Amino acid sequence: MQTMLEEMVEKYREVGHQGKLADYIPELAKQDPLSLGIAIRTVDGEEYSAGDCPLTFTLQSISKVITLILALMDHGEDVVFSRVGMEPTGDPFNAIYKLEMYSPGKPLNPMINAGALVVSSLIGGNTVDQRLQRVLALVRDMADNPKIEINTAVYHSERATGHRNRAMAHFLKEFGMIDDVESTLELYFQQCSIAVNCRDLARMGLCLAQYGVNQSGKQVIPQELARLVKTFMVTCGMYNASGEFAIYAGIPAKSGVSGGILASVPDKMGIGVFGPALDEKGNSIAGSALLKGLSRSYNLSIF
Amino acid sequence: MQTMLEEMVEKYREVGHQGKLADYIPELAKQDPLSLGIAIRTVDGEEYSAGDCPLTFTLQSISKVITLILALMDHGEDVVFSRVGMEPTGDPFNAIYKLEMYSPGKPLNPMINAGALVVSSLIGGNTVDQRLQRVLALVRDMADNPKIEINTAVYHSERATGHRNRAMAHFLKEFGMIDDVESTLELYFQQCSIAVNCRDLARMGLCLAQYGVNQSGKQVIPQELARLVKTFMVTCGMYNASGEFAIYAGIPAKSGVSGGILASVPDKMGIGVFGPALDEKGNSIAGSALLKGLSRSYNLSIF
Amino acid sequence: MQTMLEEMVEKYREVGHQGKLADYIPELAKQDPLSLGIAIRTVDGEEYSAGDCPLTFTLQSISKVITLILALMDHGEDVVFSRVGMEPTGDPFNAIYKLEMYSPGKPLNPMINAGALVVSSLIGGNTVDQRLQRVLALVRDMADNPKIEINTAVYHSERATGHRNRAMAHFLKEFGMIDDVESTLELYFQQCSIAVNCRDLARMGLCLAQYGVNQSGKQVIPQELARLVKTFMVTCGMYNASGEFAIYAGIPAKSGVSGGILASVPDKMGIGVFGPALDEKGNSIAGSALLKGLSRSYNLSIF
Amino acid sequence: MQTMLEEMVEKYREVGHQGKLADYIPELAKQDPLSLGIAIRTVDGEEYSAGDCPLTFTLQSISKVITLILALMDHGEDVVFSRVGMEPTGDPFNAIYKLEMYSPGKPLNPMINAGALVVSSLIGGNTVDQRLQRVLALVRDMADNPKIEINTAVYHSERATGHRNRAMAHFLKEFGMIDDVESTLELYFQQCSIAVNCRDLARMGLCLAQYGVNQSGKQVIPQELARLVKTFMVTCGMYNASGEFAIYAGIPAKSGVSGGILASVPDKMGIGVFGPALDEKGNSIAGSALLKGLSRSYNLSIF
């Protein structure tokens, strides 16, 4: 598999030419669009990696999976799903119009920005920092890596430019869907700035593939929640390209605008991918292609 | 399993009280809202059924799965997906506004009405009747039942009241997404009126669960297409409740406003359900609940 | 004034270069984009004209003013405004999404296509031809020209290509806003095809400027209705450029995609303009500019 | 006229029963829904008043007229209309979805909240207070009343609850339509809190009716701008009931959710009305009815 992975990375690396670096967060625009890395960790304990695996990047929207798990652990499904729906939207991740159209103020799902803001507002803790530490603790548990931290430069960059997220938070406040705008935004900008590499993501994916049991054998997420978030990853994990990704890859996955993708093949493996050039929907263009190729080669689709 | 099924049907039958019969097609409004039936056919050749299994009902939106398969067999993915997308919408199945908003005239997916009309327009054949016969032939092959026919009364009823579908067809014509409005609508109204029972649906579900091989062992659908439509069934099969159904049932399924649900558990079984009282999204309210319960009891989720 | 008018026509004729001929109705695409004509008829009985005044063109959306008057004469304000609103929309004239968003099926005003279809469905008469004859009769009365007829080639052209209007009519039928789709569309396509010249329009505008009294002194429209339609011409007469036109011209006016504009300065004059090159909103680009210039020069704004 | 006015006020006062006090700004909810007052100031220098004329209320959206004038005086039409459009919308005043749909971030007109925020951001001055003083100075000049001030309690109330306006301001910032979010919101909340009575509004309306000349004969607004804002008042002044108000009153007018209405009959008179019970669009329900009745009785329509 190792050889195969290396060949595939080189093959798909070129796809990066067709993508574009995220430019709305200045820190994200400073990357090499042809970077591409992958790491895999199987349920049998084997680990493979290829390409620019050691590079560090930030979770961005991948963090929405983590906070969803935490909010569900803190409050249960009834509370969480009274404030955020379960349906994919077909719209760009930062669209605001549907908040106005349907049951105003209730975001359609926790994987779009509006929904993720609601979820972040539900994370327990007395201060923003306490809440961030809980998010970090879960990321570290899933990845079995106690050294994971936030990237402060990216955090400040997001904070300074996140006007649209601020707009959404105030809009949600209007409808009583979040309580405190400022602390919610602070936590959100920080959770997006958690820095990882492909290996971390692979292990996080393994944890979900093993229904919440991380590589050291510890149950860090309740089994039922691990299943639930994998479902969201299929229906809404790749923004408004989730439907296509389900068809051509068929793997629960969550992408971020940093170019990272967290993928989890139930009962088989976790996969971490990084390729910073994005397609027009906001997914890593080479990373998506690589995952589709891998799924085809190793028959990984759950369908 | 037989006993269990019978108990579950009686338990979930009551849920029908909370639903409503479809009233926009007069023929559909003449049913007993408490009817509930289920049939299961496993890959091991076992068949179970319970409740009002022998009742006959029409495919309605379930036919969208069949025509999608046929259009893909006739034209391939490139042609079909240049006219219809792959993304769930978060909107009601008969919404028209998105046709206007995004890449005008290209419906977001083949499971909403607009998308299904485009798909129907692609079914090969010289006359509407030839095209209908091809749809019927595939349904019969999947269900291994040569006696399946259309219900003429329902067909005439749909034809007389389908103003919104007519509106969509003309709108799609405006953007060149369909060629002939009248023949497309004729085929669409007829395919919706194909009459089946739960046993037929269970066998059709089995055919998809076996990657296109029906119960007699005949490959009636290419393997890859069977997988593809199951994916659509997960992301868009239950209208804008697909996300929730994926979470709580995790089974590829397609519902129709007649109250039927075609479900397919990969490598395991096909399931046919019928319960005419609908929830507000247009899915059989008791049928959905029954499938969720069944999935929980027998651990059928693919996630 | 005659000299001035001739100078202005030559000055504004060049603006036609920046516009585009309507191409969705093939018959309309066969014009000279630099044509520009104007006719004025004052309350003192003076008549001026300049440029391509003798050219004949079709009313298109200008006919919406006539049918609104007729529907109001037939049914009164209560009936008419229960089916169509009074508010400008800010959207393109052929947008369909708002029918779905607000009080479904009730078009926001009678000057957008959806609203005009509802209005046409209300014109009294036993057959489409009887109804058309009543529309023609009112146009002839207003213009004091018994020779006005429809242009059959344009009518057939519209009929063959009016998919979007068909879509809207079926959508409106769905909500019970119109009774018979086919006869409504027939009348609509025919009323749009009524052929006039600038002089006809000027006299029609005079009739409105004189509160319903035509140039021969006959009250052909009730005074109150003449006022009412002039108000609609200000708020919605120039499609979604009505606001801008109100600011820079300040004259009640209604445009059509043929390039004609019917304008009426209360207590002063009627104006007819023709220039077939359109701006992106669908108004005669040179004609609009000419009217704005004229208003400035002669201080014609009602504000 | 005095007697007539008194009779009309008593007649229309009852209409207040059908309306509702604005409740989203707590300070506004503390009024008597049956209050109704009117003041008129004619170009001949006569002044009439009736009902609860002495009551004080805040400008709210009426202030949008003032800031539009000031922004146009500061920057000219080209700059202002590059950031805000001239078209009525047909949507509620606080709708956000159109910012996303059309030329993102450019509000359709300066009378909806999003547009008014853009306009406020353009008012010249080094500090929020300097800018507020300029707004106040223009209000005082128009009303010829140097004692006009802001109502601090209302200002604090708006500031504490204006989540939706905050959302819009951040959204506009995202698209570069405003520069500084906080100072823009501060000015906006303050301008909305300027306290006046009906007499003040009548004089302000007179100033517009006299093309910018206030009752002391001072030209406080350029003539062309006075005309321009009266046009906006007709097309967008009464929120998404502007079309109806144009038909049944035909008077340039601007309403606020406090229940005030500033009206201006060109060449004739200014009118100030106050009635705090609102209709569902946000206009004073009794005040609107009173103005329509007055227009009918005295033939004040400009159409």
Side-chain angles (χ1 to χ4, degrees), chain D residues 37-69:
Chain D
I38 187 169
I40 289 178
R41 174 92 189 188
T42 72
V43 293
D44 308 321
E46 288 178 88
E47 203 158 285
Y48 307 91
S49 68
D52 304 311
C53 195
L55 288 178
T56 288
F57 50 92
T58 51
L59 283 182
Q60 299 300 331
S61 289
I62 300 173
S63 69
K64 294 168 178 172
V65 171
I66 315 302
T67 48
L68 176 60
I69 295 170

mmCIF file of all heavy atoms in Angstrom, chain D residues 37-69:
data_model
loop_
_atom_site.group_PDB
_atom_site.id
_atom_site.type_symbol
_atom_site.label_atom_id
_atom_site.label_comp_id
_atom_site.label_asym_id
_atom_site.label_seq_id
_atom_site.Cartn_x
_atom_site.Cartn_y
_atom_site.Cartn_z
ATOM 1 N N GLY D 37 -51.928 61.901 16.219
ATOM 2 C CA GLY D 37 -51.787 63.348 16.095
ATOM 3 C C GLY D 37 -51.363 63.726 14.697
ATOM 4 O O GLY D 37 -50.776 62.914 13.968
ATOM 5 N N ILE D 38 -51.660 64.958 14.315
ATOM 6 C CA ILE D 38 -51.261 65.434 12.994
ATOM 7 C C ILE D 38 -50.973 66.927 13.057
ATOM 8 O O ILE D 38 -51.598 67.660 13.840
ATOM 9 C CB ILE D 38 -52.363 65.148 11.936
ATOM 10 C CG1 ILE D 38 -51.861 65.499 10.521
ATOM 11 C CG2 ILE D 38 -53.647 65.895 12.251
ATOM 12 C CD1 ILE D 38 -52.752 65.008 9.398
ATOM 13 N N ALA D 39 -49.996 67.342 12.270
ATOM 14 C CA ALA D 39 -49.733 68.773 12.107
ATOM 15 C C ALA D 39 -49.484 69.032 10.634
ATOM 16 O O ALA D 39 -48.930 68.175 9.932
ATOM 17 C CB ALA D 39 -48.519 69.193 12.929
ATOM 18 N N ILE D 40 -49.929 70.200 10.170
ATOM 19 C CA ILE D 40 -49.747 70.575 8.763
ATOM 20 C C ILE D 40 -49.169 71.986 8.720
ATOM 21 O O ILE D 40 -49.567 72.852 9.501
ATOM 22 C CB ILE D 40 -51.105 70.540 8.020
ATOM 23 C CG1 ILE D 40 -51.578 69.087 7.852
ATOM 24 C CG2 ILE D 40 -51.003 71.225 6.658
ATOM 25 C CD1 ILE D 40 -52.931 68.953 7.173
ATOM 26 N N ARG D 41 -48.231 72.173 7.837
ATOM 27 C CA ARG D 41 -47.698 73.521 7.621
ATOM 28 C C ARG D 41 -47.705 73.757 6.120
ATOM 29 O O ARG D 41 -47.091 73.012 5.356
ATOM 30 C CB ARG D 41 -46.269 73.610 8.164
ATOM 31 C CG ARG D 41 -45.542 74.891 7.877
ATOM 32 C CD ARG D 41 -45.727 75.896 8.995
ATOM 33 N NE ARG D 41 -45.195 77.207 8.622
ATOM 34 C CZ ARG D 41 -45.088 78.219 9.450
ATOM 35 N NH1 ARG D 41 -45.468 78.107 10.723
ATOM 36 N NH2 ARG D 41 -44.617 79.384 9.044
ATOM 37 N N THR D 42 -48.421 74.803 5.680
ATOM 38 C CA THR D 42 -48.569 75.034 4.237
ATOM 39 C C THR D 42 -47.525 76.021 3.724
ATOM 40 O O THR D 42 -46.877 76.729 4.502
ATOM 41 C CB THR D 42 -49.967 75.609 3.901
ATOM 42 O OG1 THR D 42 -50.009 76.956 4.367
ATOM 43 C CG2 THR D 42 -51.074 74.792 4.524
ATOM 44 N N VAL D 43 -47.394 76.042 2.418
ATOM 45 C CA VAL D 43 -46.446 76.986 1.808
ATOM 46 C C VAL D 43 -46.886 78.435 2.035
ATOM 47 O O VAL D 43 -46.084 79.369 1.927
ATOM 48 C CB VAL D 43 -46.294 76.731 0.277
ATOM 49 C CG1 VAL D 43 -45.624 75.394 0.028
ATOM 50 C CG2 VAL D 43 -47.627 76.803 -0.441
ATOM 51 N N ASP D 44 -48.161 78.620 2.378
ATOM 52 C CA ASP D 44 -48.643 79.970 2.691
ATOM 53 C C ASP D 44 -48.393 80.349 4.138
ATOM 54 O O ASP D 44 -48.847 81.402 4.599
ATOM 55 C CB ASP D 44 -50.157 80.057 2.430
ATOM 56 C CG ASP D 44 -50.504 79.567 1.036
ATOM 57 O OD1 ASP D 44 -49.726 79.865 0.099
ATOM 58 O OD2 ASP D 44 -51.531 78.871 0.883
ATOM 59 N N GLY D 45 -47.732 79.476 4.875
ATOM 60 C CA GLY D 45 -47.383 79.829 6.244
ATOM 61 C C GLY D 45 -48.451 79.484 7.263
ATOM 62 O O GLY D 45 -48.323 79.785 8.440
ATOM 63 N N GLU D 46 -49.507 78.820 6.821
ATOM 64 C CA GLU D 46 -50.525 78.449 7.797
ATOM 65 C C GLU D 46 -50.158 77.142 8.477
ATOM 66 O O GLU D 46 -49.528 76.281 7.882
ATOM 67 C CB GLU D 46 -51.882 78.327 7.093
ATOM 68 C CG GLU D 46 -52.407 79.702 6.697
ATOM 69 C CD GLU D 46 -53.732 79.620 5.965
ATOM 70 O OE1 GLU D 46 -54.772 79.629 6.633
ATOM 71 O OE2 GLU D 46 -53.682 79.521 4.720
ATOM 72 N N GLU D 47 -50.566 77.014 9.712
ATOM 73 C CA GLU D 47 -50.253 75.800 10.446
ATOM 74 C C GLU D 47 -51.521 75.284 11.122
ATOM 75 O O GLU D 47 -52.270 76.043 11.737
ATOM 76 C CB GLU D 47 -49.170 76.070 11.488
ATOM 77 C CG GLU D 47 -48.428 74.820 11.887
ATOM 78 C CD GLU D 47 -47.053 75.111 12.484
ATOM 79 O OE1 GLU D 47 -46.121 75.449 11.734
ATOM 80 O OE2 GLU D 47 -46.933 75.007 13.722
ATOM 81 N N TYR D 48 -51.780 73.980 10.974
ATOM 82 C CA TYR D 48 -52.931 73.351 11.614
ATOM 83 C C TYR D 48 -52.425 72.170 12.416
ATOM 84 O O TYR D 48 -51.410 71.575 12.080
ATOM 85 C CB TYR D 48 -53.916 72.835 10.566
ATOM 86 C CG TYR D 48 -54.332 73.864 9.558
ATOM 87 C CD1 TYR D 48 -53.626 74.012 8.362
ATOM 88 C CD2 TYR D 48 -55.427 74.700 9.797
ATOM 89 C CE1 TYR D 48 -53.993 74.961 7.428
ATOM 90 C CE2 TYR D 48 -55.802 75.662 8.858
ATOM 91 C CZ TYR D 48 -55.087 75.782 7.678
ATOM 92 O OH TYR D 48 -55.451 76.722 6.765
ATOM 93 N N SER D 49 -53.163 71.824 13.440
ATOM 94 C CA SER D 49 -52.814 70.586 14.128
ATOM 95 C C SER D 49 -54.034 70.039 14.829
ATOM 96 O O SER D 49 -54.995 70.764 15.099
ATOM 97 C CB SER D 49 -51.680 70.821 15.126
ATOM 98 O OG SER D 49 -52.138 71.633 16.171
ATOM 99 N N ALA D 50 -53.989 68.731 15.113
ATOM 100 C CA ALA D 50 -55.126 68.099 15.779
ATOM 101 C C ALA D 50 -54.663 66.840 16.481
ATOM 102 O O ALA D 50 -53.629 66.269 16.145
ATOM 103 C CB ALA D 50 -56.207 67.742 14.747
ATOM 104 N N GLY D 51 -55.428 66.444 17.480
ATOM 105 C CA GLY D 51 -55.129 65.207 18.199
ATOM 106 C C GLY D 51 -53.895 65.350 19.075
ATOM 107 O O GLY D 51 -53.589 66.432 19.581
ATOM 108 N N ASP D 52 -53.157 64.247 19.205
ATOM 109 C CA ASP D 52 -52.023 64.202 20.139
ATOM 110 C C ASP D 52 -50.773 64.809 19.541
ATOM 111 O O ASP D 52 -49.688 64.206 19.550
ATOM 112 C CB ASP D 52 -51.777 62.750 20.543
ATOM 113 C CG ASP D 52 -53.023 62.116 21.125
ATOM 114 O OD1 ASP D 52 -53.634 62.739 22.014
ATOM 115 O OD2 ASP D 52 -53.406 61.021 20.668
ATOM 116 N N CYS D 53 -50.929 65.985 19.049
ATOM 117 C CA CYS D 53 -49.837 66.654 18.353
ATOM 118 C C CYS D 53 -48.629 66.931 19.230
ATOM 119 O O CYS D 53 -47.499 66.829 18.766
ATOM 120 C CB CYS D 53 -50.370 67.939 17.732
ATOM 121 S SG CYS D 53 -49.260 68.626 16.521
ATOM 122 N N PRO D 54 -48.828 67.265 20.502
ATOM 123 C CA PRO D 54 -47.639 67.624 21.291
ATOM 124 C C PRO D 54 -46.756 66.446 21.680
ATOM 125 O O PRO D 54 -45.638 66.648 22.143
ATOM 126 C CB PRO D 54 -48.248 68.260 22.557
ATOM 127 C CG PRO D 54 -49.695 68.536 22.244
ATOM 128 C CD PRO D 54 -50.086 67.517 21.223
ATOM 129 N N LEU D 55 -47.232 65.222 21.531
ATOM 130 C CA LEU D 55 -46.420 64.071 21.952
ATOM 131 C C LEU D 55 -45.097 64.006 21.208
ATOM 132 O O LEU D 55 -45.017 64.315 20.022
ATOM 133 C CB LEU D 55 -47.185 62.766 21.722
ATOM 134 C CG LEU D 55 -48.362 62.471 22.654
ATOM 135 C CD1 LEU D 55 -49.026 61.158 22.253
ATOM 136 C CD2 LEU D 55 -47.868 62.399 24.100
ATOM 137 N N THR D 56 -44.099 63.556 21.930
ATOM 138 C CA THR D 56 -42.757 63.417 21.364
ATOM 139 C C THR D 56 -42.505 61.953 21.020
ATOM 140 O O THR D 56 -42.946 61.063 21.739
ATOM 141 C CB THR D 56 -41.733 63.892 22.408
ATOM 142 O OG1 THR D 56 -41.838 65.311 22.497
ATOM 143 C CG2 THR D 56 -40.311 63.519 22.007
ATOM 144 N N PHE D 57 -41.830 61.732 19.923
ATOM 145 C CA PHE D 57 -41.489 60.358 19.514
ATOM 146 C C PHE D 57 -40.154 60.425 18.779
ATOM 147 O O PHE D 57 -39.634 61.516 18.529
ATOM 148 C CB PHE D 57 -42.587 59.769 18.617
ATOM 149 C CG PHE D 57 -42.979 60.672 17.490
ATOM 150 C CD1 PHE D 57 -42.349 60.566 16.256
ATOM 151 C CD2 PHE D 57 -43.940 61.667 17.677
ATOM 152 C CE1 PHE D 57 -42.689 61.425 15.220
ATOM 153 C CE2 PHE D 57 -44.284 62.530 16.639
ATOM 154 C CZ PHE D 57 -43.661 62.418 15.412
ATOM 155 N N THR D 58 -39.610 59.267 18.445
ATOM 156 C CA THR D 58 -38.285 59.277 17.807
ATOM 157 C C THR D 58 -38.399 59.070 16.290
ATOM 158 O O THR D 58 -39.350 58.473 15.809
ATOM 159 C CB THR D 58 -37.383 58.193 18.422
ATOM 160 O OG1 THR D 58 -38.073 56.949 18.408
ATOM 161 C CG2 THR D 58 -36.986 58.561 19.843
ATOM 162 N N LEU D 59 -37.405 59.554 15.569
ATOM 163 C CA LEU D 59 -37.474 59.517 14.109
ATOM 164 C C LEU D 59 -37.448 58.089 13.557
ATOM 165 O O LEU D 59 -38.108 57.773 12.579
ATOM 166 C CB LEU D 59 -36.285 60.276 13.494
ATOM 167 C CG LEU D 59 -36.348 61.798 13.507
ATOM 168 C CD1 LEU D 59 -35.106 62.359 12.801
ATOM 169 C CD2 LEU D 59 -37.611 62.319 12.791
ATOM 170 N N GLN D 60 -36.625 57.228 14.161
ATOM 171 C CA GLN D 60 -36.428 55.869 13.618
ATOM 172 C C GLN D 60 -36.111 55.947 12.110
ATOM 173 O O GLN D 60 -35.261 56.734 11.731
ATOM 174 C CB GLN D 60 -37.647 54.985 13.913
ATOM 175 C CG GLN D 60 -37.917 54.822 15.415
ATOM 176 C CD GLN D 60 -36.743 54.184 16.156
ATOM 177 O OE1 GLN D 60 -35.979 53.412 15.591
ATOM 178 N NE2 GLN D 60 -36.549 54.546 17.414
ATOM 179 N N SER D 61 -36.817 55.219 11.296
ATOM 180 C CA SER D 61 -36.472 55.173 9.869
ATOM 181 C C SER D 61 -36.640 56.503 9.141
ATOM 182 O O SER D 61 -36.131 56.668 8.035
ATOM 183 C CB SER D 61 -37.322 54.119 9.147
ATOM 184 O OG SER D 61 -36.922 52.834 9.534
ATOM 185 N N ILE D 62 -37.386 57.419 9.732
ATOM 186 C CA ILE D 62 -37.513 58.735 9.093
ATOM 187 C C ILE D 62 -36.134 59.376 8.966
ATOM 188 O O ILE D 62 -35.864 60.137 8.035
ATOM 189 C CB ILE D 62 -38.480 59.648 9.889
ATOM 190 C CG1 ILE D 62 -39.867 58.992 9.953
ATOM 191 C CG2 ILE D 62 -38.564 61.040 9.277
ATOM 192 C CD1 ILE D 62 -40.859 59.727 10.867
ATOM 193 N N SER D 63 -35.235 59.014 9.902
ATOM 194 C CA SER D 63 -33.887 59.594 9.856
ATOM 195 C C SER D 63 -33.129 59.188 8.599
ATOM 196 O O SER D 63 -32.152 59.820 8.210
ATOM 197 C CB SER D 63 -33.089 59.168 11.099
ATOM 198 O OG SER D 63 -32.799 57.780 11.044
ATOM 199 N N LYS D 64 -33.595 58.102 7.925
ATOM 200 C CA LYS D 64 -32.909 57.657 6.702
ATOM 201 C C LYS D 64 -32.980 58.732 5.617
ATOM 202 O O LYS D 64 -32.093 58.818 4.758
ATOM 203 C CB LYS D 64 -33.549 56.363 6.184
ATOM 204 C CG LYS D 64 -33.357 55.174 7.118
ATOM 205 C CD LYS D 64 -34.245 53.985 6.720
ATOM 206 C CE LYS D 64 -34.006 52.794 7.634
ATOM 207 N NZ LYS D 64 -34.986 51.700 7.399
ATOM 208 N N VAL D 65 -34.047 59.512 5.625
ATOM 209 C CA VAL D 65 -34.169 60.608 4.656
ATOM 210 C C VAL D 65 -33.100 61.674 4.927
ATOM 211 O O VAL D 65 -32.461 62.173 3.997
ATOM 212 C CB VAL D 65 -35.583 61.233 4.746
ATOM 213 C CG1 VAL D 65 -35.666 62.508 3.916
ATOM 214 C CG2 VAL D 65 -36.637 60.226 4.317
ATOM 215 N N ILE D 66 -32.918 61.970 6.179
ATOM 216 C CA ILE D 66 -31.953 63.026 6.557
ATOM 217 C C ILE D 66 -30.529 62.612 6.209
ATOM 218 O O ILE D 66 -29.766 63.367 5.609
ATOM 219 C CB ILE D 66 -32.031 63.308 8.084
ATOM 220 C CG1 ILE D 66 -33.490 63.424 8.551
ATOM 221 C CG2 ILE D 66 -31.202 64.536 8.437
ATOM 222 C CD1 ILE D 66 -34.297 64.478 7.870
ATOM 223 N N THR D 67 -30.174 61.382 6.607
ATOM 224 C CA THR D 67 -28.798 60.960 6.351
ATOM 225 C C THR D 67 -28.554 60.793 4.855
ATOM 226 O O THR D 67 -27.444 61.054 4.384
ATOM 227 C CB THR D 67 -28.463 59.643 7.093
ATOM 228 O OG1 THR D 67 -29.501 58.687 6.865
ATOM 229 C CG2 THR D 67 -28.325 59.902 8.584
ATOM 230 N N LEU D 68 -29.573 60.403 4.112
ATOM 231 C CA LEU D 68 -29.383 60.305 2.664
ATOM 232 C C LEU D 68 -29.046 61.677 2.085
ATOM 233 O O LEU D 68 -28.122 61.826 1.282
ATOM 234 C CB LEU D 68 -30.635 59.739 1.982
ATOM 235 C CG LEU D 68 -30.572 59.700 0.450
ATOM 236 C CD1 LEU D 68 -29.411 58.833 -0.038
ATOM 237 C CD2 LEU D 68 -31.890 59.184 -0.147
ATOM 238 N N ILE D 69 -29.789 62.699 2.516
ATOM 239 C CA ILE D 69 -29.504 64.058 2.038
ATOM 240 C C ILE D 69 -28.063 64.448 2.382
ATOM 241 O O ILE D 69 -27.312 64.944 1.537
ATOM 242 C CB ILE D 69 -30.489 65.069 2.670
ATOM 243 C CG1 ILE D 69 -31.925 64.783 2.204
ATOM 244 C CG2 ILE D 69 -30.084 66.500 2.338
ATOM 245 C CD1 ILE D 69 -32.988 65.567 2.970
#
